[in-house]
Structure formats: C-alpha cells, structure tokens
Amino acid sequence: MSEASGAAFPELEERLRSVREGIAAACRDAGRSTEDVDLIVITKFHPAELIAALAALGVRDVGENRHQEAQEKAEALADLDLRWHFVGQLQTKKARQAARYAHAIHSIDRERLIDAIGDGDRVIDAFLQVNLTDDPGRGGAAPDELERLAERVLEAPALRLRGVMAVAPLEEPAAAAFERLAGYSERVRALAPDADAISAGMTHDYREAIAAGATHLRIGSAITGKRPEPR
C-alpha cells in the first residue's frame, strides 16, 4: 500500500490480515483449503479511496449493495483490476445498468430479474439468493422456487449459474441456517453440477459458513472498519 493510502487508512492492512488469518484457521478446522474460499470485501458507504487502498493490499473482489453507489465506484476505479460483486436487492429497472459493471450478482431471486440481464453483452456470474426464513418480505427466493429459477438462468446466454447465496437469520444459530443452505446447494447442483458455489458468511458468522461449505465470504466491517453515514 502506498504511504498516502496507509496514512488515510492506517488500520486497514492489519484488519485485512486478521480476517485472512481467521479464514485460514476456520478452513483448517473444517479440513478445507483456503484456496477453495474467496473473500469478497463489502465496501458499501466507504469511499473509492478505501477500495483503492484495498487493491494495493491485493484485494480483487469487492462487493456493493446499492446500484448507484456501485456504479459510481466502478467508474471511478476502472483502471484497477477489480471484480465487482453486487450483493444487495436489485431493482429490475436497474438490472441492465448493473450488468455493465458487475462481474457477479449474488441476489438473483426472481424471473423478471433473470430476464432483464440474461441476454446482455457480457457474461455475469449468477447466484440464486435463497430466503432462509418464513418471512416473504425478506430478500431471496423461497426454497421451492430454486429449481425453476436455476433452469431459467441456465437458459440465459449472458448468465453463468454459479450457485446459491443467503444471509443467515439472526433469530437462529448460523450453523443451522447454513446447513440448510448447503442442502439447497445440492438441489441446484442436481441440475447444474458446476454450480457448486455457496455465497454465505459475513463478519459475525463466516466461520460457521466455512464449516458448512461456503466458497464465497462477504465480509465488510471487520476489514473496512465502521461504515460512514450513507450519503
């Protein structure tokens, strides 16, 4: 990291190192290789300068959950070798715009969204978001919709089905929720054997996610620090 970046974000390198060490320890406990687990640093509300500092530390995968903010940062940092992951709820009317910068969308949960981005000019990694609660107002598709959505993605030329994604509910142990998600992953793999990715695990529960087979972790504040107030 440059001297200027280090001065602006003096604790960033140590926080990143600490999380990477935690991931390595969790992988050892689960009998897994760290090479099987990708770290996505969630940077919502943080300035583009922090993302540039992360890139200087070797981070290549960053995640955002608001389209306008993600679009602005992707444009501002276009000269960096970054992979942009959209992890928030995506409005159908904004989907085509998001498809211009996103390398992966982790929140695909309905057919209209698939149709909006499925015939674009570039191939995007697609994760089916599953609602792990009984509340239909939560983000994600109901489990009984998984196969239908997976088939729809497989028919879309601009989408590559990678697997499933979920957020563990706060009202139950994360380990139990991620165990269910692993089962949903098996159902998707029955249709598409290569769609074996599981996007799960955040700052407070990534260890449980790794134990349950997560391949993509979405970790924010443990690395980036306290979020600024949203603009």
Side-chain angles (χ1 to χ4, degrees):
M1 183 163 52
S2 69
E3 185 176 346
S5 296
F9 308 103
E11 299 177 0
L12 186 64
E13 185 172 8
E14 179 56 35
R15 288 194 297 260
L16 178 61
R17 180 186 299 113
S18 177
V19 168
R20 283 175 168 163
E21 290 174 351
I23 292 171
C27 285
R28 286 195 299 271
D29 291 342
R32 301 181 60 196
S33 169
T34 55
E35 294 182 359
D36 297 332
V37 178
D38 291 338
L39 170 61
I40 302 165
V41 182
I42 304 302
T43 53
K44 62 182 180 181
F45 304 149
H46 287 284
E49 291 78 8
L50 180 137
I51 301 175
L54 285 167
L57 292 170
V59 170
R60 290 292 172 263
D61 293 272
V62 294
E64 292 282 334
N65 74 340
R66 299 195 310 171
H67 162 63
Q68 182 174 347
E69 182 179 353
Q71 180 174 251
E72 291 173 356
K73 291 177 181 177
E75 291 175 355
L77 300 171
D79 59 328
L80 298 181
D81 182 22
L82 295 172
R83 287 177 50 83
W84 293 90
H85 298 252
F86 193 88
V87 301
Q89 297 306 299
L90 182 59
Q91 298 179 17
T92 303
K93 63 182 180 180
K94 300 291 186 181
R96 289 187 182 275
Q97 296 176 41
R100 295 172 186 162
Y101 61 81
H103 293 82
I105 297 178
H106 292 239
S107 50
I108 292 178
D109 60 0
R110 58 196 185 279
E111 290 186 4
R112 288 182 60 202
L113 185 55
I114 296 169
D115 293 343
I117 57 179
D119 60 352
D121 297 328
R122 53 196 292 270
V123 177
I124 299 170
D125 287 348
F127 291 77
L128 299 178
Q129 183 176 359
V130 189
N131 184 350
L132 296 180
T133 76
D134 295 326
D135 179 1
R138 295 281 187 94
D144 61 6
E145 298 176 344
L146 270 180
E147 283 82 0
R148 176 171 54 83
L149 292 176
E151 290 174 349
R152 195 67 164 254
V153 171
L154 291 171
E155 295 171 353
L159 294 177
R160 180 168 74 118
L161 182 60
R162 291 300 314 278
V164 296
M165 176 273 219
V167 177
L170 294 177
E171 56 269 21
E172 72 169 303
F178 291 144
E179 184 177 352
R180 291 203 309 281
L181 182 62
Y184 299 144
S185 172
E186 290 181 4
R187 284 170 45 184
V188 171
R189 283 188 282 122
L191 293 173
D194 291 339
D196 56 358
I198 299 177
S199 172
M202 299 187 290
T203 289
H204 60 285
D205 58 17
Y206 72 81
R207 294 171 181 84
E208 291 89 342
I210 289 173
T215 61
H216 292 68
L217 309 176
R218 311 181 307 274
I219 300 179
S221 59
I223 297 172
T224 60
K226 183 179 179 181
R227 294 190 185 108
E229 291 299 318
R231 291 177 292 169

